[in-house]
Amino acid sequence: MNRERPARLSLSRALRFEVFKRDSFKCQYCGATAPQVLLHLDHIVPVSAGGTNEITNLVTSCIDCNLGKRAKLLADDAAVTKARNQLEELQERREQLTMMMEWNLSLRELAQQTLDVAADYWQHYTPGWSVADEGRRDLAKWIKKFSLQEVLSAMDVAATHYLRFEAEGAIIEESWDSAFSKIPGICRVERESKDDPEIRELYFIRGIARRNCENSFRNAEALELLKDARFYGISTDTLRTVAIESYSWYRFSTDLRLLIREARASSEGESDET
Ligand SMILES: [Zn+2]
């Protein structure tokens, strides 16, 4: 049989539902809504003029607009163009929503892959050990706060300075924990010193003092003292000399406090005179 069904009858229930949902079950010509009116689908470009059953060529129309006022409305080019533009915009928005969902999924995958890279990188320093779930959660947090590159660089520093090994070459368990936990602090220091090259110099000076003083050295306090000293105008050359000559935390901190007190006294003296 070569008989063709009328176009409207060939529109599936699913397609009609899609168009009605898209148009909020509202006639796009007069604004009447279901269930007050019976809704039809209207072809924007009529089937007789080559219009297709694509969703972009279909619009929700009440029965009156579809049957009665149709000729008049279709003659009105502006209204048809407007309706069509709205449809294309709606269609575009739906496509963008789908794209956004796919994008979100791919971002989540990317985050997972980034995390794997970081965990693998740490594991290559610590053969025989793997990063457990809790460690991976920490890693994810650090990557978010800093960047993968910063975390990997910090791992280089942490592994070199804080991993300790048994005579047979196995990693001392506690050093794994302490080295791993140093990673975010190293990231922070690196970032801080990028912002301020002088901070890098102060870290370097502190490193000299720490090596000379060995035990009981107070890292955070030493940095605060060095920053205070710079604040009161004591040169990094002087600070380096103090660090080189110090042999205990007590000596180092006492010398620094003395310098700071003198520098502060003289700076306050100056401001009194003005
Ligand atoms: Zn209508």
Side-chain angles (χ1 to χ4, degrees):
M1 291 257 261
N2 281 332
R3 190 154 48 91
E4 245 186 5
R5 284 166 165 243
R8 190 175 301 117
L9 290 180
S10 71
L11 299 177
S12 70
R13 185 182 183 279
L15 182 60
R16 284 186 296 138
F17 187 50
E18 279 302 297
V19 178
F20 290 161
K21 270 195 300 187
R22 183 199 61 199
D23 295 342
S24 310
F25 291 86
K26 187 190 276 186
C27 169
Q28 298 299 296
Y29 295 109
C30 71
T33 53
Q36 279 76 27
V37 293
L38 181 62
L39 296 175
H40 278 190
L41 284 187
D42 187 25
H43 287 85
I44 296 172
V45 177
V47 177
S48 60
T52 67
N53 286 344
E54 295 293 313
I55 197 162
T56 49
N57 192 45
L58 293 168
V59 67
T60 305
S61 168
C62 69
I63 192 162
D64 282 349
C65 289
N66 194 27
L67 301 178
K69 302 170 192 169
R70 184 178 181 189
K72 184 183 141 209
L73 282 167
L74 282 180
D76 183 350
D77 267 1
V80 172
T81 307
K82 193 179 165 207
R84 171 154 237 179
N85 287 345
Q86 281 173 345
L87 283 177
E88 279 169 359
E89 191 191 313
L90 279 169
Q91 186 67 12
E92 179 64 22
R93 273 197 220 162
R94 288 163 63 109
E95 276 170 16
Q96 283 176 9
L97 269 176
T98 311
M99 282 190 264
M100 276 173 66
M101 277 168 64
E102 284 168 7
W103 175 238
N104 275 335
L105 283 174
S106 68
L107 279 184
R108 219 176 296 165
E109 267 171 37
L110 184 68
Q112 198 58 41
Q113 285 164 1
T114 309
L115 188 54
D116 288 343
V117 167
D120 288 351
Y121 195 78
W122 184 247
Q123 274 161 229
H124 102 268
Y125 276 119
T126 58
W129 295 89
S130 60
V131 182
D133 284 349
E134 202 183 327
R136 287 175 70 89
R137 274 195 291 277
D138 285 342
L139 275 181
K141 215 162 50 187
W142 301 337
I143 292 168
K144 200 173 168 193
K145 188 170 179 189
F146 302 100
S147 69
L148 178 63
Q149 193 47 57
E150 283 171 287
V151 169
L152 297 187
S153 303
M155 283 178 174
D156 293 336
V157 177
T160 313
H161 291 278
Y162 301 106
L163 283 181
R164 298 279 174 267
F165 300 85
E166 311 268 16
E168 322 85 75
I171 289 166
I172 297 172
E173 205 172 326
E174 302 79 57
S175 85
W176 192 108
D177 294 330
S178 99
F180 188 77
S181 70
K182 293 284 195 303
I183 294 169
I186 295 167
C187 287
R188 190 170 41 74
V189 166
E190 283 299 311
R191 191 173 270 194
E192 232 181 12
S193 29
K194 244 176 241 159
D195 295 343
D196 181 356
E198 193 172 277
I199 296 271
R200 188 181 282 273
E201 176 76 15
L202 295 187
Y203 280 112
F204 179 71
I205 292 169
R206 184 179 70 172
I208 296 172
R210 185 171 48 219
R211 271 191 299 279
N212 285 347
C213 301
E214 292 290 342
N215 296 326
S216 76
F217 193 83
R218 298 181 201 168
N219 267 314
E221 202 175 330
L223 189 66
E224 284 316 303
L225 284 172
L226 288 168
K227 282 180 180 172
D228 279 356
R230 285 299 296 140
F231 179 79
Y232 287 108
I234 298 162
S235 73
T236 48
D237 283 346
T238 305
L239 294 176
R240 200 181 303 114
T241 308
V242 172
I244 290 167
E245 289 174 352
S246 61
Y247 47 81
S248 71
W249 166 252
Y250 177 78
R251 174 69 194 272
F252 177 69
S253 57
T254 307
D255 283 358
L256 277 183
R257 285 203 180 88
L258 198 63
L259 280 171
I260 292 166
R261 199 178 307 145
E262 284 169 1
R264 189 164 56 198
S266 76
S267 75
E268 278 164 3
E270 276 165 28
S271 61
D272 281 351
E273 284 160 23
T274 53

